[in-house]
Amino acid sequence: MKKAFITGITGQDGSYLAESLLEKGYQVFGLTRRTSTQNFARIKRVVHNPNLKLISGDLIDQHSLTFALKDIQPDEIYNLAAQSFVQASWEQPVLTGEFTGIGVTRVLEAMRLASPNAKFYQASSSEMFGKVRETPQTELTPFYPRSPYGVAKVYGHWITVNYRESYDMFAVSGILFNHESPRRGLEFVTRKIANGIARVKLGKQPYIELGNLDAKRDWGYAKDYVEAMWLMLQQNEPDDYVVATGETHSVREFLELSCKSAGITDWQSVYKHNPVYDRPAEVDLLIGDPSKAKEKLGWQPTIDFEQLVDLMVQSELEEESKLKD
């Protein structure tokens, strides 16, 4: 039985990855931070699985990582933990750098010292491209991050490359473009729209407040993207891959399709602009070229943009109908 170690297991990607690996016959170890109240909502389907074990630790605590890897001796390590909300990185830039940047080094160092034969996956991000230098973005496109989050992700990406080349470690980075699901945090614009439109439809609120509707992103389905992570670690040689749909859509399109899914005919009647949600430095257009991932990994997305929006809105309508405000 192969063993996998996942940081950020209680997040969107971590929960889908844990489910996928357990289905593949893995023993899964998930790193969780010790808090007064644990939130296991996203892993509720597998939290009692006998092949899942949760380990207490933190990306800020080097010893907790080293001891965990020494004890587990995993075959695969997936570093998904981070301060992952771009807007919050402006409010907490130092904390974002600590977790999202330096935290990667701590995991790599723990692996080097305690489990050097494992294979390592780093969750890089399309936000590293920021003010894009070319369109679409590939593995060779220069980075120009436009937020503390993007800057921290660039550090995490290059330190992974550095450890791979310096210590001959199997370490890869997946440059994942935006990937969404019903498990996205409510602070992210896609989940915020899906949830807000569901609440408008159910009469729980009159409208939804959003920032810049013109920003364009390459949005895919998180469940598809964790499969790409796994595929990267099944290769004979480590390499970095862009994972994306190759299509770009605006926040306005996401809003319009959400209204359509909920049966709201006039999206403008339920929308208000709130400058509070505008970023200090906006990333206007991100679109990835997944040719390498498709060719070398055999990876393909399974649902398109409209299906993704509908999936999220219908999930919100179902959940919100159960709740009383």
Side-chain angles (χ1 to χ4, degrees), residues 3 69 73-77 111 115-120 169-171 233:
K3 293 184 285 187
L69 294 186
Q73 289 299 303
D75 298 284
E76 298 169 6
I77 299 167
M111 174 181 163
S115 186
N117 294 321
K119 293 183 174 183
F120 175 84
M169 293 164 60
F170 194 111
L233 297 194

Side-chain angles (χ1 to χ4, degrees), residues 18-72:
E19 290 175 7
S20 176
L21 293 176
L22 288 166
E23 288 172 5
K24 288 177 168 68
Y26 279 66
Q27 186 175 12
V28 176
F29 298 83
L31 188 77
T32 62
R33 299 175 66 195
R34 187 177 297 280
T35 58
S36 56
T37 56
Q38 290 282 13
N39 183 8
F40 295 149
R42 292 189 182 96
I43 57 171
K44 62 185 178 182
R45 298 180 187 179
V46 295
V47 72
H48 299 299
N49 189 307
N51 288 325
L52 173 66
K53 183 177 181 181
L54 299 178
I55 307 293
S56 180
D58 200 307
L59 290 194
I60 288 181
D61 181 12
Q62 181 71 62
H63 290 304
S64 68
L65 299 169
T66 305
F67 289 143
L69 294 186
K70 183 179 180 181
D71 182 51
I72 297 165

Side-chain angles (χ1 to χ4, degrees), residues 219-254:
W219 276 305
Y221 182 32
K223 201 169 182 179
D224 290 339
Y225 285 40
V226 301
E227 183 68 12
M229 300 176 188
W230 176 77
L231 286 168
M232 289 178 210
L233 297 194
Q234 309 318 304
Q235 305 307 302
N236 292 324
E237 298 295 331
D239 205 350
D240 304 324
Y241 298 87
V242 162
V243 181
T245 68
E247 297 179 4
T248 188
H249 298 276
S250 68
V251 176
R252 180 179 285 101
E253 287 178 78
F254 201 103

Side-chain angles (χ1 to χ4, degrees), residues 107-134:
V107 181
L108 283 165
E109 190 65 4
M111 174 181 163
R112 184 180 73 84
L113 294 171
S115 186
N117 294 321
K119 293 183 174 183
F120 175 84
Y121 171 85
Q122 164 59 15
S124 289
S125 167
S126 59
E127 289 287 332
M128 300 188 303
F129 296 121
K131 190 174 181 179
V132 298
R133 317 309 287 168
E134 63 183 17

Side-chain angles (χ1 to χ4, degrees), residues 77-97:
I77 299 167
Y78 296 88
N79 183 43
L80 310 183
Q83 190 300 101
S84 59
F85 185 40
V86 176
Q87 187 71 34
S89 76
W90 293 103
E91 299 156 8
Q92 298 178 303
V94 177
L95 181 69
T96 299

Side-chain angles (χ1 to χ4, degrees), residues 13 78-82 84 100-101 104 108 120-129 139 143 149-161 164 171-179 184 225 229 232 239-244:
D13 293 5
Y78 296 88
N79 183 43
L80 310 183
S84 59
T100 309
V104 184
L108 283 165
F120 175 84
Y121 171 85
Q122 164 59 15
S124 289
S125 167
S126 59
E127 289 287 332
M128 300 188 303
F129 296 121
E139 293 80 5
F143 300 136
Y149 170 79
V151 172
K153 278 293 186 183
V154 170
Y155 176 91
H157 177 86
W158 282 118
I159 200 67
T160 300
V161 173
R164 177 171 73 214
V172 308
S173 283
I175 307 173
L176 271 57
F177 280 64
N178 295 64
H179 46 289
R184 251 308 194 192
Y225 285 40
M229 300 176 188
M232 289 178 210
D239 205 350
D240 304 324
Y241 298 87
V242 162
V243 181

Side-chain angles (χ1 to χ4, degrees), residues 78-309:
Y78 296 88
N79 183 43
L80 310 183
Q83 190 300 101
S84 59
F85 185 40
V86 176
Q87 187 71 34
S89 76
W90 293 103
E91 299 156 8
Q92 298 178 303
V94 177
L95 181 69
T96 299
E98 191 68 57
F99 275 109
T100 309
I102 302 299
V104 184
T105 312
R106 293 194 183 96
V107 181
L108 283 165
E109 190 65 4
M111 174 181 163
R112 184 180 73 84
L113 294 171
S115 186
N117 294 321
K119 293 183 174 183
F120 175 84
Y121 171 85
Q122 164 59 15
S124 289
S125 167
S126 59
E127 289 287 332
M128 300 188 303
F129 296 121
K131 190 174 181 179
V132 298
R133 317 309 287 168
E134 63 183 17
T135 300
Q137 293 87 56
T138 73
E139 293 80 5
L140 301 177
T141 301
F143 300 136
Y144 195 142
R146 296 270 281 172
S147 67
Y149 170 79
V151 172
K153 278 293 186 183
V154 170
Y155 176 91
H157 177 86
W158 282 118
I159 200 67
T160 300
V161 173
N162 188 262
Y163 268 66
R164 177 171 73 214
E165 295 178 350
S166 300
Y167 300 114
D168 195 27
M169 293 164 60
F170 194 111
V172 308
S173 283
I175 307 173
L176 271 57
F177 280 64
N178 295 64
H179 46 289
E180 318 300 316
S181 77
R183 299 183 191 177
R184 251 308 194 192
L186 271 170
E187 68 273 21
F188 290 87
V189 69
T190 50
R191 175 82 191 285
K192 182 180 178 181
I193 292 173
N195 177 261
I197 292 304
R199 289 177 58 82
V200 169
K201 178 65 176 179
L202 296 170
K204 293 187 175 186
Q205 65 186 56
Y207 52 82
I208 182 171
E209 293 187 354
L210 297 167
N212 178 23
L213 294 187
D214 295 321
K216 293 183 177 181
R217 295 291 183 273
D218 184 328
W219 276 305
Y221 182 32
K223 201 169 182 179
D224 290 339
Y225 285 40
V226 301
E227 183 68 12
M229 300 176 188
W230 176 77
L231 286 168
M232 289 178 210
L233 297 194
Q234 309 318 304
Q235 305 307 302
N236 292 324
E237 298 295 331
D239 205 350
D240 304 324
Y241 298 87
V242 162
V243 181
T245 68
E247 297 179 4
T248 188
H249 298 276
S250 68
V251 176
R252 180 179 285 101
E253 287 178 78
F254 201 103
L255 176 59
E256 290 174 359
L257 285 174
S258 294
C259 288
K260 177 184 175 183
S261 177
I264 297 172
T265 55
D266 182 10
W267 67 269
Q268 291 176 308
S269 68
V270 297
Y271 156 73
K272 283 193 175 183
H273 177 255
N274 188 335
V276 169
Y277 300 119
D278 292 336
R279 292 186 186 179
E282 182 59 88
V283 175
D284 296 314
L285 172 63
L286 290 174
I287 177 170
D289 179 358
S291 300
K292 183 178 174 181
K294 289 181 176 181
E295 179 186 342
K296 293 195 173 183
L297 303 179
W299 176 82
Q300 289 283 348
T302 63
I303 70 173
D304 63 24
F305 178 66
E306 189 164 354
Q307 290 172 317
L308 173 64
V309 176

